[in-house]
Amino acid sequence: MSEDVNPFESFQEQLDDAAAYVDVDEDTLERLRNPERVLETNLSVELDDGSIGVFRAYRSQFNGDRGPYKGGIRYHPGVSRDEVKALSGWMVYKCATVDIPYGGGKGGIVIDPREYSTAELERITRSYAKELRPLIGEDRDIPAPDVNTGQQEMNWLKDTYETLENTTAPGVVTGKAIESGGSRGRVEATGRSTMLTAREAFDYLGKGMPGATVAVQGYGNAGSVAARLLESELGANVVAVSDSSGAVYDETGLDAEAVKEHKLETGSVTGYDDVEELTNEELLTLDVDLLVPAALENAIDGDLAEEVSADVIVEAANGPLTPDADDVLTERDVHVFPDILANAGGVTVSYFEWVQNRQRFYWTEEKVNDELERHIVEAFEGLIDCYEELEIPNFRTAAYVVALRRVLTAYEEGGTWP
């Protein structure tokens, strides 16, 4: 794992790789490599003991050529300006890959939420929402959950915005609780799109999914849902999972749902049953059919990529491979199916939620899942067509070519404002 690789530089390198296959001039490409604006602010919030906590916070609006800015908000000690810029850039091309009418945004607060009470987190979230108020809106910028945030934070953000604006605007954020205007199917959407991408990938590569061995690095929402669905719907054999505390491994297979219950009860996957415990790095190098990185960016660098033994990688996390790792894995013929397709279920169902909010008409979970499957399958087919037509060396670059073409078309059709 490399913490030294700048995620924004990784994003720009990935976009540059795709630009080699697209007719785009240098000035336009430079515009598409950088955010349109970045908010950087300090939140001053009274804590439970009466002291004042100061928290650095960001919101990056990267590109709005295809629609309102869209992207999550994460609470994590590692949040930085370059991280949110990279994540907002990835969102632009993720939305374009699955062809939903959004641009890209991302936000975050430098905080470890485990160190604060629920009341403190509410005040911090509402303070952040107040700072975001001039930037966000149902047709401007639509936040959503990300690392260490969920329905509760989105409910607070929505309520703060609506109170200050003296309006009702459920579509100002997505990822809300059902009772607050959320969509059925949203909680498991990212894990579901990871499962669907793996299914399509194995079918394309002529591999059988039933009995295929799977290792999942990161057992939060996306990783645990992906593991459960790979196991229950496709018959895969999940042999290893991990979180920040370490990994558990059983070559005969784990019960993905039981491990999740253990984590909910204890706060960690470690200590589950009588199974072998590994480090996260050891999990990433297991000899498995499918590896699902579902934690944070830069999990696999060039050195670790040399030791990866999986045949197929499907990225549930954003940016889990560095560009050097991509180069190594491409050379080694390890098939990597990128984050901007595999984890796009979250933003796709967020789009469905936004549509439902605007119409005030809500779908069944079956309809949500059917529409998500259609979007992911069509996006996968478009990626493969581009990959084969242009003889592109890897699937990531093919996905970026598809997305870059769509963003360029929208930009060119809109013209340049003087």
Side-chain angles (χ1 to χ4, degrees):
M1 178 175 178
S2 175
E3 298 178 354
D4 300 326
V5 177
N6 185 306
F8 184 57
E9 293 175 358
S10 295
F11 158 75
Q12 291 185 318
E13 187 171 336
Q14 291 164 349
L15 192 61
D16 290 344
D17 289 343
Y21 297 88
V22 178
D23 183 16
V24 54
D25 63 75
E26 286 297 323
D27 292 339
T28 300
L29 179 60
E30 186 63 19
R31 174 184 180 273
L32 299 178
R33 295 171 81 249
N34 292 283
E36 294 172 3
R37 64 190 61 84
V38 181
L39 169 70
E40 181 173 343
T41 184
N42 289 311
L43 311 175
S44 298
V45 179
E46 183 176 347
L47 303 180
D48 291 344
D49 63 3
S51 66
I52 301 298
V54 180
F55 305 90
R56 183 67 55 85
Y58 304 91
R59 182 69 179 176
S60 173
Q61 295 178 328
F62 202 95
N63 180 281
D65 290 333
R66 300 186 73 251
Y69 307 103
K70 186 78 184 81
I73 294 168
R74 61 176 50 183
Y75 291 0
H76 193 273
V79 167
S80 68
R81 185 183 183 92
D82 276 346
E83 181 185 59
V84 297
K85 284 164 59 178
L87 292 164
S88 63
W90 281 320
M91 282 300 301
V92 174
Y93 297 95
K94 183 183 301 183
C95 292
T97 297
V98 292
D99 202 16
I100 56 175
Y102 282 144
K106 209 76 174 187
I109 302 176
V110 184
I111 185 174
D112 185 345
R114 296 172 298 183
E115 298 178 358
Y116 297 88
S117 70
T118 299
E120 289 171 330
L121 289 173
E122 179 176 356
R123 293 195 292 274
I124 291 164
T125 301
R126 291 186 184 276
S127 177
Y128 183 51
K130 182 171 66 70
E131 294 297 318
L132 292 182
R133 177 189 174 193
L135 298 179
I136 64 176
E138 291 182 311
D139 294 311
R140 294 197 296 271
D141 184 349
I142 306 145
D146 199 77
V147 175
N148 292 330
T149 60
Q151 293 180 345
Q152 181 61 81
E153 290 78 11
M154 297 307 104
N155 295 346
W156 288 331
L157 198 156
K158 167 183 170 289
D159 180 73
T160 305
Y161 178 86
E162 290 180 330
T163 301
L164 293 174
E165 292 289 332
N166 192 27
T167 188
T168 299
V172 71
V173 297
T174 59
K176 305 178 294 295
I178 298 291
E179 295 78 9
S180 295
S183 175
R184 292 172 175 82
R186 174 62 182 87
V187 171
E188 69 171 25
T190 304
R192 182 168 290 277
S193 64
T194 301
M195 178 273 290
L196 291 169
T197 300
R199 184 192 72 186
E200 297 301 302
F202 271 57
D203 183 61
Y204 173 72
L205 297 170
K207 296 177 177 289
M209 182 60 77
T213 53
V214 180
V216 180
Q217 183 240 1
Y219 218 58
N221 176 61
S224 63
V225 171
R228 175 173 57 82
L229 295 176
L230 285 163
E231 187 178 78
S232 63
E233 297 199 10
L234 301 183
N237 185 22
V238 178
V239 298
V241 303
S242 72
D243 59 18
S244 58
S245 65
V248 291
Y249 169 70
D250 185 342
E251 64 179 0
T252 65
L254 300 165
D255 182 327
E257 188 62 23
V259 177
K260 178 64 175 178
E261 290 299 320
H262 173 79
K263 179 177 170 65
L264 289 174
E265 292 173 4
T266 67
S268 169
V269 300
T270 56
Y272 170 74
D273 208 358
D274 185 22
V275 298
E276 185 178 352
E277 296 195 359
L278 306 174
T279 65
N280 264 278
E281 187 168 303
E282 287 171 330
L283 178 143
L284 290 167
T285 58
L286 285 173
D287 185 6
V288 290
D289 299 308
L290 171 63
L291 173 63
V292 179
L296 297 174
E297 55 268 15
N298 296 338
I300 302 176
D301 60 16
D303 292 336
L304 189 58
E306 295 282 3
E307 301 176 39
V308 167
S309 301
D311 299 320
V312 179
I313 297 176
V314 175
E315 298 179 329
N318 290 308
L321 274 63
T322 68
D324 284 348
D326 261 333
D327 292 342
V328 170
L329 294 170
T330 297
E331 182 68 25
R332 295 183 55 215
D333 292 326
V334 176
H335 304 291
V336 178
F337 291 87
D339 47 3
I340 61 171
L341 170 63
N343 71 23
V347 72
T348 302
V349 177
S350 280
Y351 168 60
F352 298 161
E353 180 178 334
W354 179 78
V355 169
Q356 294 169 76
N357 291 157
R358 305 307 296 274
Q359 295 178 338
R360 301 298 201 274
F361 181 81
Y362 291 85
W363 303 356
T364 65
E365 186 168 351
E366 181 181 14
K367 178 177 173 62
V368 170
N369 289 341
D370 286 347
E371 285 295 315
L372 173 60
E373 181 170 3
R374 180 177 67 82
H375 273 75
I376 296 299
V377 170
E378 289 180 358
F380 186 92
E381 292 171 348
L383 181 157
I384 294 301
D385 287 345
C386 180
Y387 172 78
E388 294 182 344
E389 174 194 348
L390 298 181
E391 298 182 347
I392 295 174
N394 58 59
F395 297 109
R396 186 187 314 281
T397 301
Y400 272 95
V401 170
V402 171
L404 181 56
R405 285 171 169 173
R406 287 175 176 157
V407 175
L408 276 171
T409 298
Y411 170 62
E412 290 166 355
E413 289 176 348
T416 302
W417 186 254

